[in-house]
Amino acid sequence: MARSAIFREFGGPEVIEWIDVDLPPPGPGEVRFVTRAAGLNFIDTYHRRGIYPGALPSPLGMEGAGVVAALGEGVSGFAVGDRVATFGPLRGAYATERNLPASALFKLPEAISDEIAAASLLKGCTAEFLAERAAAVKAGDWVLVHAAAGGVGLILVQWLNAIGARVIGTVGTADKAVLARQAGAEAVILYRDEEIAPRVRAITGGAGVRVSYDGIGQATWNASLDSTGRRGMIVSYGNADAPVTGVALGILATKGSLYNTRPTLFDYYTTPDERAAGAGRLWDMITSGKVTITIGQRFRLEDAAQAQRDLESRATHGSTLLIP
């Protein structure tokens, strides 16, 4: 009998409940996936809160690593015992086991452990497309990364540093500032102690950054606008605070003919070739040592509600794992 997290209404972490699931054999094109570690991500809270609404009741969780336990009819390219990982788009990673389309899986290299895969696949592939495809960052460019000590933030800072960008990170505490600097941030701003944009302008000699990476949303939108230099880009990739709404496009003109994009991971990983290339690039960055995955905390799988509380209260750093 499998155990799975669901929610029947939108709300806080208290809406998460655990149910027993009698799984059928995997259907055509499916595999039985046994979870060894699941990753915690802000997108999980967006689903739970209804920011990204879906049908109810709904399973929960996108990212996980595990092993193939059975194959459905017509599955090729996988065998029982293969180590694999997934980042969605199907929800349900908060489960001890489940049936998944084989097309949703990535095979894991021997050098990538289950925990590293679960801590990095969604966040690391997000960093890959943000750094290398959503914006044309070049060596020597100043860039701003909000939440630089978070799950995506720590990976993104390292990735940008590896390609030669000059990174300014924002964090909430001195401990997180240390982590951001260790990841390669040239300057770190404690946003509770000083205003972000004036400090960014001072660091960059008044020019502002070429790219602002903003996974926070409403709370940091104005800071991103005022920190981004003429003809620069704001990459709004998350809503950790709240979605950005009610924006008059003219503000992009008055702030220096700025660009803004609101990308999602799945629009950059649509074809098999894109998926293979992006994940391969991530594994290469990790195995080469250019990106180190920080697992900041581990929770029991069925303590997912507390893990989400800690994530939303900014009490976590790096990646968080849920372990069955």
Side-chain angles (χ1 to χ4, degrees):
M1 188 73 67
R3 293 280 286 168
S4 179
I6 65 167
F7 57 98
R8 302 179 192 273
E9 59 182 322
F10 300 120
E14 68 279 358
V15 303
I16 300 173
E17 61 181 280
W18 287 86
I19 61 172
D20 292 326
V21 180
D22 188 8
L23 289 172
E30 292 184 336
V31 305
R32 174 68 55 83
F33 176 91
V34 177
T35 304
R36 288 181 171 170
L40 177 71
N41 293 280
F42 259 107
I43 195 172
D44 305 342
T45 71
Y46 306 161
H47 293 148
R48 191 206 72 226
R49 291 158 59 192
I51 293 175
Y52 294 170
L56 295 173
S58 173
L60 192 59
M62 305 284 288
E63 182 181 40
V67 63
V68 174
L71 303 175
E73 182 183 351
V75 172
S76 61
F78 293 95
V80 171
D82 280 349
R83 296 173 53 249
V84 292
T86 182
F87 61 31
L90 293 177
R91 307 177 195 177
Y94 296 8
T96 56
E97 55 186 289
R98 57 187 174 136
N99 293 331
L100 276 176
S103 59
L105 301 177
F106 296 84
K107 280 190 176 181
L108 296 181
E110 287 187 12
I112 303 296
S113 70
D114 298 330
E115 287 202 349
I116 291 298
S120 69
L121 183 59
L122 189 149
K123 289 174 275 291
C125 289
T126 297
E128 180 274 321
F129 91 79
L130 290 176
E132 302 201 347
R133 292 188 280 157
V137 176
K138 304 185 299 297
D141 284 348
W142 280 107
V143 297
L144 175 65
V145 177
H146 290 290
V152 172
L154 277 179
I155 299 173
L156 182 58
V157 169
Q158 293 176 82
W159 205 299
L160 291 164
N161 185 62
I163 63 179
R166 304 180 72 182
V167 181
I168 302 170
T170 73
V171 298
T173 66
D175 289 346
K176 290 185 177 183
V178 171
L179 293 173
R181 289 191 182 94
Q182 290 173 343
E186 188 169 332
V188 179
I189 299 169
L190 289 160
Y191 65 81
R192 293 189 176 104
D193 297 340
E194 57 184 333
E195 289 190 45
I196 294 170
R199 183 70 180 129
V200 167
R201 292 287 177 170
I203 292 166
T204 61
V209 295
R210 297 303 305 147
V211 181
S212 289
Y213 290 103
D214 194 338
I216 305 300
Q218 189 66 49
T220 46
W221 171 247
N222 286 329
S224 294
L225 280 172
D226 291 337
S227 298
T228 307
R230 184 174 287 115
R231 299 195 305 273
M233 175 177 282
I234 301 171
V235 182
S236 305
Y237 70 92
N239 318 289
D241 170 64
V244 177
T245 59
V247 175
L249 288 179
I251 194 69
L252 299 175
T254 63
K255 296 296 182 178
S257 299
L258 304 183
Y259 298 85
N260 176 232
T261 182
R262 180 59 178 89
T264 66
L265 171 69
F266 302 108
D267 286 328
Y268 284 81
Y269 282 75
T270 56
T271 68
D273 286 347
E274 284 179 341
R275 289 166 58 83
R281 179 78 169 123
L282 172 62
W283 307 140
D284 287 345
M285 291 292 277
I286 294 172
T287 57
S288 69
K290 293 178 180 177
V291 168
T292 299
I293 304 303
T294 298
I295 300 172
Q297 42 283 311
R298 295 172 177 83
F299 292 81
R300 289 176 55 254
L301 182 62
E302 295 201 20
D303 290 335
Q306 185 59 50
Q308 289 199 3
R309 287 188 189 95
D310 286 2
L311 179 68
E312 291 179 295
S313 68
R314 309 293 195 272
T316 65
H317 68 276
S319 297
T320 299
L321 292 181
L322 306 173
I323 307 297

